[in-house]
Amino acid sequence: DQQVKQNSPSLSVQEGRISILNCDYTNSMFDYFLWYKKYPAEGPTFLISISSIKDKNEDGRFTVLNKSAKHLSLHIVPSQPGDSAVYFCAANSRLTFGEGTQLTVNP
Amino acid sequence: GAVVSQHPSRVICKSGTSVKIECRSLDFQATTMFWYRQFPKQSLMLMATSNEGSKATYEQGVEKDKFLINHASLTLSTLTVTSAHPEDSSFYICSARRPRTGGSGYTFGSGTRLTVV
């Protein structure tokens, strides 16, 4: 039972444009969400997080929105080629991860 | 910042042998560490929670006799894949949480690519 779902396995955007990565969850007990970035053959690195009681958190080019029921989105603007990686959404219940979305930012 | 070191980064072993993977927290003490497994193009799946000085807690479906976890000190947890088979080939990642931090305090090792031939 996949409690955290990232339904888009891949996303391709042009440099300078906005990247929007989506995450849905089913467990209403989740109260804290995190986004991680992962390069091949490396461990994930923390990007940004949000509490379930907040609807927005910003950190530089990265914004996470929590405005819809059981749905989160990570916005990256402007997107840069170095942002190309797999992005995982995770819920803070022993870090239950989504399947990840491969983001490719084209120059 | 907090650093978690994982070793080896890559290992190839013969079927039937055992392989040990180490996870060290370099600049903080971690009473709890976590072991994940990732298959190609899939999510990171939590295998077990390693507790310093006590037995590990395994997730459902993970064989504790096959994946032995030892957390003998506050800075070291080891995962031993015993009697490895080709289906155990995967990417194994550990993580630890810095003390007195929230969810963002999880730091991951760089992972170990295990190939069983």
Side-chain angles (χ1 to χ4, degrees):
Chain A
D1 177 29
Q2 190 70 22
Q3 297 186 66
V4 178
K5 291 189 69 62
Q6 294 174 258
N7 291 315
S8 298
S10 64
L11 174 68
S12 183
V13 301
Q14 208 61 30
E15 182 178 7
R17 297 292 185 96
I18 185 171
S19 297
I20 301 176
L21 298 97
N22 294 304
C23 176
D24 298 291
Y25 60 96
T26 58
N27 192 334
S28 58
M29 298 299 290
F30 291 154
D31 59 3
Y32 196 80
F33 303 92
L34 308 95
W35 284 91
Y36 286 86
K37 178 180 181 180
K38 185 181 181 300
Y39 293 112
E42 293 185 13
T45 54
F46 172 74
L47 270 179
I48 193 169
S49 62
I50 191 168
S51 164
S52 61
I53 62 173
K54 301 281 188 182
D55 62 8
K56 184 179 181 180
N57 188 23
E58 288 183 80
D59 184 2
R61 295 186 298 114
F62 302 91
T63 300
V64 58
L65 298 180
N66 178 30
K67 295 183 177 180
S68 302
K70 296 184 179 175
H71 176 82
L72 303 161
S73 58
L74 174 68
H75 296 229
I76 307 173
V77 57
S79 302
Q80 300 173 353
D83 295 331
S84 298
V86 177
Y87 289 79
F88 287 97
C89 172
N92 190 24
S93 173
R94 300 172 303 172
L95 286 188
T96 303
F97 281 88
E99 306 95 325
T101 297
Q102 171 70 58
L103 173 65
T104 302
V105 180
N106 301 304
Chain B
V3 178
V4 172
S5 173
Q6 189 172 340
H7 179 79
S9 58
R10 187 180 296 268
V11 59
I12 300 173
C13 71
K14 291 186 177 180
S15 188
T17 62
S18 295
V19 174
K20 181 185 285 188
I21 303 170
E22 294 187 348
C23 181
R24 295 180 185 272
S25 56
L26 296 186
D27 53 356
F28 66 99
Q29 294 183 332
T31 56
T32 303
M33 292 185 177
F34 305 88
W35 287 96
Y36 294 84
R37 180 176 183 177
Q38 185 188 24
F39 290 105
K41 298 185 179 181
Q42 293 189 26
S43 181
L44 283 76
M45 300 301 296
L46 179 65
M47 299 174 64
T49 302
S50 172
N51 304 298
E52 188 269 334
S54 65
K55 291 183 180 181
T57 304
Y58 290 82
E59 296 300 302
Q60 190 173 11
V62 178
E63 299 176 61
K64 61 181 180 182
D65 294 329
K66 179 166 188 62
F67 299 99
L68 300 180
I69 291 173
N70 184 276
H71 194 155
S73 79
L74 287 170
T75 60
L76 174 64
S77 175
T78 61
L79 169 68
T80 302
V81 183
T82 63
S83 185
H85 289 105
E87 57 265 31
D88 298 325
S89 299
S90 189
F91 191 62
Y92 293 86
I93 307 174
C94 70
S95 77
R97 190 168 68 185
R98 298 190 301 278
R100 295 179 294 281
T101 60
S104 61
Y106 291 94
T107 300
F108 287 82
S110 54
T112 298
R113 169 70 62 192
L114 170 64
T115 303
V116 184
V117 297

Tab-separated table of all heavy atoms in Angstrom, chain A residues 20-64:
chain	number	residue	atom	x	y	z
A	20	ILE	N	7.042	22.050	-11.431
A	20	ILE	CA	6.055	21.741	-10.393
A	20	ILE	C	5.990	20.230	-10.243
A	20	ILE	O	5.640	19.513	-11.181
A	20	ILE	CB	4.659	22.305	-10.743
A	20	ILE	CG1	4.733	23.830	-10.904
A	20	ILE	CG2	3.660	21.935	-9.639
A	20	ILE	CD1	3.421	24.466	-11.335
A	21	LEU	N	6.360	19.769	-9.067
A	21	LEU	CA	6.325	18.327	-8.783
A	21	LEU	C	5.240	18.056	-7.746
A	21	LEU	O	5.150	18.766	-6.747
A	21	LEU	CB	7.679	17.856	-8.268
A	21	LEU	CG	8.841	18.019	-9.254
A	21	LEU	CD1	9.605	19.304	-8.976
A	21	LEU	CD2	9.783	16.829	-9.176
A	22	ASN	N	4.451	17.049	-8.003
A	22	ASN	CA	3.294	16.783	-7.165
A	22	ASN	C	3.455	15.549	-6.294
A	22	ASN	O	4.200	14.619	-6.630
A	22	ASN	CB	2.050	16.614	-8.036
A	22	ASN	CG	1.686	17.895	-8.744
A	22	ASN	OD1	1.494	18.926	-8.117
A	22	ASN	ND2	1.593	17.837	-10.064
A	23	CYS	N	2.744	15.575	-5.185
A	23	CYS	CA	2.806	14.477	-4.216
A	23	CYS	C	1.440	14.336	-3.550
A	23	CYS	O	0.863	15.343	-3.100
A	23	CYS	CB	3.891	14.770	-3.183
A	23	CYS	SG	4.026	13.579	-1.843
A	24	ASP	N	0.919	13.140	-3.507
A	24	ASP	CA	-0.348	12.869	-2.834
A	24	ASP	C	-0.130	11.841	-1.738
A	24	ASP	O	0.738	10.976	-1.868
A	24	ASP	CB	-1.377	12.328	-3.832
A	24	ASP	CG	-1.687	13.326	-4.922
A	24	ASP	OD1	-2.317	14.352	-4.611
A	24	ASP	OD2	-1.290	13.087	-6.071
A	25	TYR	N	-0.903	11.944	-0.685
A	25	TYR	CA	-0.766	10.974	0.396
A	25	TYR	C	-2.141	10.532	0.869
A	25	TYR	O	-3.137	11.240	0.686
A	25	TYR	CB	0.071	11.542	1.553
A	25	TYR	CG	-0.501	12.788	2.195
A	25	TYR	CD1	-1.281	12.715	3.345
A	25	TYR	CD2	-0.234	14.042	1.652
A	25	TYR	CE1	-1.788	13.856	3.936
A	25	TYR	CE2	-0.738	15.192	2.237
A	25	TYR	CZ	-1.511	15.094	3.372
A	25	TYR	OH	-2.016	16.226	3.953
A	26	THR	N	-2.173	9.362	1.465
A	26	THR	CA	-3.456	8.805	1.871
A	26	THR	C	-3.641	8.768	3.387
A	26	THR	O	-4.768	8.734	3.871
A	26	THR	CB	-3.619	7.373	1.326
A	26	THR	OG1	-2.530	6.575	1.811
A	26	THR	CG2	-3.595	7.371	-0.196
A	27	ASN	N	-2.539	8.790	4.118
A	27	ASN	CA	-2.621	8.630	5.565
A	27	ASN	C	-2.840	9.982	6.250
A	27	ASN	O	-1.965	10.841	6.240
A	27	ASN	CB	-1.332	7.963	6.072
A	27	ASN	CG	-1.445	7.498	7.505
A	27	ASN	OD1	-2.225	8.037	8.288
A	27	ASN	ND2	-0.677	6.497	7.869
A	28	SER	N	-3.984	10.164	6.858
A	28	SER	CA	-4.303	11.441	7.493
A	28	SER	C	-3.501	11.672	8.774
A	28	SER	O	-3.542	12.764	9.345
A	28	SER	CB	-5.804	11.505	7.802
A	28	SER	OG	-6.176	10.426	8.636
A	29	MET	N	-2.759	10.658	9.216
A	29	MET	CA	-1.944	10.815	10.411
A	29	MET	C	-0.605	11.487	10.106
A	29	MET	O	0.095	11.916	11.018
A	29	MET	CB	-1.684	9.447	11.052
A	29	MET	CG	-2.949	8.740	11.509
A	29	MET	SD	-3.848	9.681	12.767
A	29	MET	CE	-2.737	9.521	14.147
A	30	PHE	N	-0.245	11.565	8.858
A	30	PHE	CA	0.998	12.242	8.498
A	30	PHE	C	0.881	13.726	8.849
A	30	PHE	O	-0.108	14.374	8.504
A	30	PHE	CB	1.290	12.108	7.000
A	30	PHE	CG	1.639	10.719	6.558
A	30	PHE	CD1	1.409	10.329	5.249
A	30	PHE	CD2	2.219	9.810	7.423
A	30	PHE	CE1	1.737	9.059	4.816
A	30	PHE	CE2	2.552	8.534	6.998
A	30	PHE	CZ	2.305	8.152	5.682
A	31	ASP	N	1.899	14.259	9.520
A	31	ASP	CA	1.803	15.662	9.907
A	31	ASP	C	3.010	16.494	9.500
A	31	ASP	O	3.102	17.676	9.845
A	31	ASP	CB	1.578	15.784	11.421
A	31	ASP	CG	2.696	15.130	12.216
A	31	ASP	OD1	3.669	14.640	11.616
A	31	ASP	OD2	2.588	15.105	13.458
A	32	TYR	N	3.930	15.884	8.772
A	32	TYR	CA	5.133	16.618	8.384
A	32	TYR	C	5.645	16.006	7.096
A	32	TYR	O	5.684	14.792	6.970
A	32	TYR	CB	6.186	16.478	9.493
A	32	TYR	CG	7.312	17.463	9.418
A	32	TYR	CD1	7.162	18.762	9.880
A	32	TYR	CD2	8.555	17.086	8.919
A	32	TYR	CE1	8.208	19.659	9.832
A	32	TYR	CE2	9.601	17.975	8.869
A	32	TYR	CZ	9.423	19.271	9.326
A	32	TYR	OH	10.458	20.171	9.280
A	33	PHE	N	5.978	16.850	6.153
A	33	PHE	CA	6.363	16.361	4.835
A	33	PHE	C	7.694	16.970	4.415
A	33	PHE	O	7.985	18.122	4.720
A	33	PHE	CB	5.275	16.679	3.807
A	33	PHE	CG	3.933	16.119	4.182
A	33	PHE	CD1	3.038	16.881	4.910
A	33	PHE	CD2	3.597	14.816	3.850
A	33	PHE	CE1	1.810	16.369	5.294
A	33	PHE	CE2	2.370	14.287	4.229
A	33	PHE	CZ	1.485	15.056	4.945
A	34	LEU	N	8.454	16.175	3.702
A	34	LEU	CA	9.785	16.617	3.306
A	34	LEU	C	10.000	16.311	1.836
A	34	LEU	O	9.442	15.353	1.296
A	34	LEU	CB	10.863	15.876	4.124
A	34	LEU	CG	10.703	15.894	5.646
A	34	LEU	CD1	9.979	14.637	6.135
A	34	LEU	CD2	12.052	15.996	6.311
A	35	TRP	N	10.801	17.123	1.215
A	35	TRP	CA	11.225	16.864	-0.154
A	35	TRP	C	12.735	16.649	-0.170
A	35	TRP	O	13.494	17.403	0.453
A	35	TRP	CB	10.872	18.036	-1.070
A	35	TRP	CG	9.425	18.106	-1.428
A	35	TRP	CD1	8.440	18.784	-0.771
A	35	TRP	CD2	8.791	17.457	-2.537
A	35	TRP	NE1	7.236	18.611	-1.399
A	35	TRP	CE2	7.414	17.805	-2.491
A	35	TRP	CE3	9.235	16.637	-3.584
A	35	TRP	CZ2	6.495	17.344	-3.437
A	35	TRP	CZ3	8.316	16.190	-4.522
A	35	TRP	CH2	6.966	16.546	-4.438
A	36	TYR	N	13.133	15.616	-0.900
A	36	TYR	CA	14.534	15.283	-1.033
A	36	TYR	C	14.895	15.255	-2.508
A	36	TYR	O	14.086	14.926	-3.373
A	36	TYR	CB	14.835	13.903	-0.437
A	36	TYR	CG	14.829	13.865	1.069
A	36	TYR	CD1	13.641	13.671	1.773
A	36	TYR	CD2	16.003	14.014	1.795
A	36	TYR	CE1	13.638	13.636	3.156
A	36	TYR	CE2	16.004	13.965	3.181
A	36	TYR	CZ	14.819	13.781	3.846
A	36	TYR	OH	14.824	13.750	5.221
A	37	LYS	N	16.155	15.565	-2.756
A	37	LYS	CA	16.719	15.514	-4.099
A	37	LYS	C	17.752	14.410	-4.115
A	37	LYS	O	18.541	14.271	-3.172
A	37	LYS	CB	17.369	16.862	-4.400
A	37	LYS	CG	18.058	17.006	-5.728
A	37	LYS	CD	18.636	18.418	-5.813
A	37	LYS	CE	19.333	18.653	-7.130
A	37	LYS	NZ	19.885	20.040	-7.206
A	38	LYS	N	17.760	13.629	-5.176
A	38	LYS	CA	18.691	12.506	-5.220
A	38	LYS	C	19.329	12.383	-6.595
A	38	LYS	O	18.634	12.327	-7.622
A	38	LYS	CB	17.956	11.204	-4.865
A	38	LYS	CG	18.887	9.999	-4.772
A	38	LYS	CD	18.113	8.739	-4.443
A	38	LYS	CE	19.057	7.537	-4.331
A	38	LYS	NZ	19.787	7.280	-5.577
A	39	TYR	N	20.655	12.306	-6.578
A	39	TYR	CA	21.401	12.009	-7.789
A	39	TYR	C	21.675	10.509	-7.828
A	39	TYR	O	21.683	9.843	-6.790
A	39	TYR	CB	22.718	12.779	-7.822
A	39	TYR	CG	22.547	14.279	-7.946
A	39	TYR	CD1	22.895	15.117	-6.890
A	39	TYR	CD2	22.043	14.854	-9.107
A	39	TYR	CE1	22.750	16.488	-6.990
A	39	TYR	CE2	21.891	16.229	-9.210
A	39	TYR	CZ	22.234	17.041	-8.151
A	39	TYR	OH	22.085	18.397	-8.248
A	40	PRO	N	21.935	9.963	-9.021
A	40	PRO	CA	22.219	8.520	-9.119
A	40	PRO	C	23.378	8.110	-8.229
A	40	PRO	O	24.372	8.825	-8.113
A	40	PRO	CB	22.554	8.342	-10.606
A	40	PRO	CG	21.856	9.462	-11.298
A	40	PRO	CD	21.913	10.613	-10.344
A	41	ALA	N	23.241	6.962	-7.616
A	41	ALA	CA	24.293	6.367	-6.782
A	41	ALA	C	24.698	7.254	-5.616
A	41	ALA	O	25.832	7.179	-5.121
A	41	ALA	CB	25.525	6.017	-7.618
A	42	GLU	N	23.787	8.105	-5.182
A	42	GLU	CA	24.036	8.921	-3.992
A	42	GLU	C	22.835	8.834	-3.071
A	42	GLU	O	21.732	8.472	-3.484
A	42	GLU	CB	24.281	10.388	-4.367
A	42	GLU	CG	25.560	10.634	-5.133
A	42	GLU	CD	25.802	12.125	-5.356
A	42	GLU	OE1	25.119	12.941	-4.709
A	42	GLU	OE2	26.657	12.453	-6.179
A	43	GLY	N	23.038	9.199	-1.803
A	43	GLY	CA	21.912	9.272	-0.888
A	43	GLY	C	21.112	10.544	-1.120
A	43	GLY	O	21.603	11.508	-1.696
A	44	PRO	N	19.863	10.573	-0.691
A	44	PRO	CA	19.031	11.776	-0.845
A	44	PRO	C	19.558	12.923	0.007
A	44	PRO	O	20.129	12.704	1.072
A	44	PRO	CB	17.656	11.324	-0.337
A	44	PRO	CG	17.705	9.844	-0.281
A	44	PRO	CD	19.134	9.474	-0.056
A	45	THR	N	19.349	14.133	-0.470
A	45	THR	CA	19.687	15.320	0.315
A	45	THR	C	18.424	16.125	0.560
A	45	THR	O	17.577	16.276	-0.337
A	45	THR	CB	20.736	16.193	-0.383
A	45	THR	OG1	20.271	16.512	-1.698
A	45	THR	CG2	22.062	15.488	-0.486
A	46	PHE	N	18.306	16.633	1.753
A	46	PHE	CA	17.109	17.363	2.154
A	46	PHE	C	17.002	18.688	1.412
A	46	PHE	O	17.972	19.422	1.260
A	46	PHE	CB	17.145	17.602	3.659
A	46	PHE	CG	16.069	18.515	4.161
A	46	PHE	CD1	14.764	18.071	4.257
A	46	PHE	CD2	16.366	19.820	4.523
A	46	PHE	CE1	13.773	18.914	4.716
A	46	PHE	CE2	15.377	20.672	4.979
A	46	PHE	CZ	14.080	20.211	5.081
A	47	LEU	N	15.786	18.990	0.977
A	47	LEU	CA	15.529	20.252	0.280
A	47	LEU	C	14.713	21.209	1.115
A	47	LEU	O	15.122	22.320	1.418
A	47	LEU	CB	14.769	19.980	-1.022
A	47	LEU	CG	15.548	19.730	-2.297
A	47	LEU	CD1	14.570	19.470	-3.432
A	47	LEU	CD2	16.466	20.882	-2.629
A	48	ILE	N	13.513	20.782	1.449
A	48	ILE	CA	12.571	21.677	2.100
A	48	ILE	C	11.488	20.831	2.749
A	48	ILE	O	11.234	19.711	2.328
A	48	ILE	CB	11.961	22.673	1.075
A	48	ILE	CG1	11.220	23.810	1.781
A	48	ILE	CG2	11.078	21.953	0.057
A	48	ILE	CD1	10.836	24.952	0.832
A	49	SER	N	10.869	21.359	3.783
A	49	SER	CA	9.828	20.605	4.470
A	49	SER	C	8.649	21.513	4.787
A	49	SER	O	8.720	22.741	4.647
A	49	SER	CB	10.389	20.007	5.762
A	49	SER	OG	10.816	21.046	6.643
A	50	ILE	N	7.566	20.896	5.221
A	50	ILE	CA	6.391	21.663	5.601
A	50	ILE	C	5.568	20.876	6.598
A	50	ILE	O	5.448	19.645	6.491
A	50	ILE	CB	5.545	22.048	4.363
A	50	ILE	CG1	4.474	23.081	4.741
A	50	ILE	CG2	4.896	20.817	3.728
A	50	ILE	CD1	3.801	23.720	3.540
A	51	SER	N	5.024	21.560	7.556
A	51	SER	CA	4.106	20.946	8.500
A	51	SER	C	2.713	20.908	7.882
A	51	SER	O	2.371	21.738	7.042
A	51	SER	CB	4.075	21.772	9.790
A	51	SER	OG	2.957	21.432	10.580
A	52	SER	N	1.927	19.948	8.314
A	52	SER	CA	0.576	19.817	7.750
A	52	SER	C	-0.316	21.004	8.094
A	52	SER	O	-1.331	21.228	7.447
A	52	SER	CB	-0.071	18.518	8.244
A	52	SER	OG	-0.191	18.541	9.652
A	53	ILE	N	0.060	21.788	9.101
A	53	ILE	CA	-0.771	22.933	9.482
A	53	ILE	C	-0.392	24.201	8.734
A	53	ILE	O	-1.054	25.227	8.866
A	53	ILE	CB	-0.713	23.187	11.000
A	53	ILE	CG1	0.709	23.534	11.447
A	53	ILE	CG2	-1.248	21.990	11.765
A	53	ILE	CD1	0.793	23.954	12.915
A	54	LYS	N	0.671	24.140	7.970
A	54	LYS	CA	1.090	25.283	7.158
A	54	LYS	C	0.642	25.069	5.716
A	54	LYS	O	0.513	23.930	5.263
A	54	LYS	CB	2.623	25.422	7.179
A	54	LYS	CG	3.199	25.618	8.563
A	54	LYS	CD	3.041	27.030	9.028
A	54	LYS	CE	3.800	27.251	10.338
A	54	LYS	NZ	3.625	28.631	10.844
A	55	ASP	N	0.427	26.148	4.989
A	55	ASP	CA	0.046	25.964	3.595
A	55	ASP	C	1.156	26.361	2.619
A	55	ASP	O	1.022	26.138	1.420
A	55	ASP	CB	-1.239	26.716	3.267
A	55	ASP	CG	-1.121	28.222	3.445
A	55	ASP	OD1	0.003	28.712	3.670
A	55	ASP	OD2	-2.151	28.903	3.371
A	56	LYS	N	2.248	26.888	3.155
A	56	LYS	CA	3.326	27.304	2.253
A	56	LYS	C	4.629	27.413	3.025
A	56	LYS	O	4.652	27.859	4.178
A	56	LYS	CB	2.976	28.659	1.636
A	56	LYS	CG	3.955	29.176	0.600
A	56	LYS	CD	3.462	30.513	0.049
A	56	LYS	CE	4.371	31.074	-1.014
A	56	LYS	NZ	3.872	32.371	-1.539
A	57	ASN	N	5.707	27.007	2.361
A	57	ASN	CA	7.041	27.222	2.908
A	57	ASN	C	7.979	27.519	1.747
A	57	ASN	O	7.971	26.816	0.745
A	57	ASN	CB	7.533	26.003	3.691
A	57	ASN	CG	8.829	26.283	4.432
A	57	ASN	OD1	9.151	27.432	4.719
A	57	ASN	ND2	9.579	25.246	4.741
A	58	GLU	N	8.760	28.587	1.891
A	58	GLU	CA	9.654	29.017	0.825
A	58	GLU	C	11.093	28.994	1.296
A	58	GLU	O	11.395	29.336	2.446
A	58	GLU	CB	9.335	30.453	0.392
A	58	GLU	CG	8.066	30.629	-0.382
A	58	GLU	CD	7.882	32.073	-0.826
A	58	GLU	OE1	8.492	32.475	-1.812
A	58	GLU	OE2	7.150	32.797	-0.130
A	59	ASP	N	11.984	28.608	0.383
A	59	ASP	CA	13.412	28.659	0.665
A	59	ASP	C	14.119	28.907	-0.656
A	59	ASP	O	14.362	27.976	-1.425
A	59	ASP	CB	13.887	27.355	1.300
A	59	ASP	CG	15.351	27.406	1.705
A	59	ASP	OD1	15.995	28.466	1.521
A	59	ASP	OD2	15.869	26.393	2.208
A	60	GLY	N	14.401	30.162	-0.914
A	60	GLY	CA	15.064	30.505	-2.169
A	60	GLY	C	14.196	30.183	-3.368
A	60	GLY	O	13.054	30.610	-3.473
A	61	ARG	N	14.740	29.375	-4.260
A	61	ARG	CA	13.998	29.018	-5.470
A	61	ARG	C	12.956	27.936	-5.230
A	61	ARG	O	12.200	27.593	-6.140
A	61	ARG	CB	14.985	28.533	-6.543
A	61	ARG	CG	15.957	29.609	-7.025
A	61	ARG	CD	16.812	29.109	-8.195
A	61	ARG	NE	17.650	27.969	-7.840
A	61	ARG	CZ	17.492	26.750	-8.350
A	61	ARG	NH1	16.524	26.509	-9.230
A	61	ARG	NH2	18.299	25.773	-7.993
A	62	PHE	N	12.947	27.377	-4.043
A	62	PHE	CA	12.073	26.243	-3.737
A	62	PHE	C	10.906	26.664	-2.852
A	62	PHE	O	11.090	27.335	-1.840
A	62	PHE	CB	12.863	25.125	-3.045
A	62	PHE	CG	14.017	24.620	-3.850
A	62	PHE	CD1	15.285	25.168	-3.715
A	62	PHE	CD2	13.825	23.604	-4.771
A	62	PHE	CE1	16.349	24.703	-4.474
A	62	PHE	CE2	14.887	23.141	-5.536
A	62	PHE	CZ	16.145	23.693	-5.394
A	63	THR	N	9.706	26.262	-3.265
A	63	THR	CA	8.498	26.524	-2.485
A	63	THR	C	7.691	25.242	-2.422
A	63	THR	O	7.513	24.575	-3.443
A	63	THR	CB	7.643	27.623	-3.139
A	63	THR	OG1	8.414	28.835	-3.214
A	63	THR	CG2	6.385	27.883	-2.320
A	64	VAL	N	7.233	24.902	-1.241
A	64	VAL	CA	6.328	23.759	-1.117
A	64	VAL	C	4.973	24.288	-0.706
A	64	VAL	O	4.863	25.120	0.198
A	64	VAL	CB	6.870	22.694	-0.141
A	64	VAL	CG1	7.102	23.256	1.233
A	64	VAL	CG2	5.927	21.510	-0.061
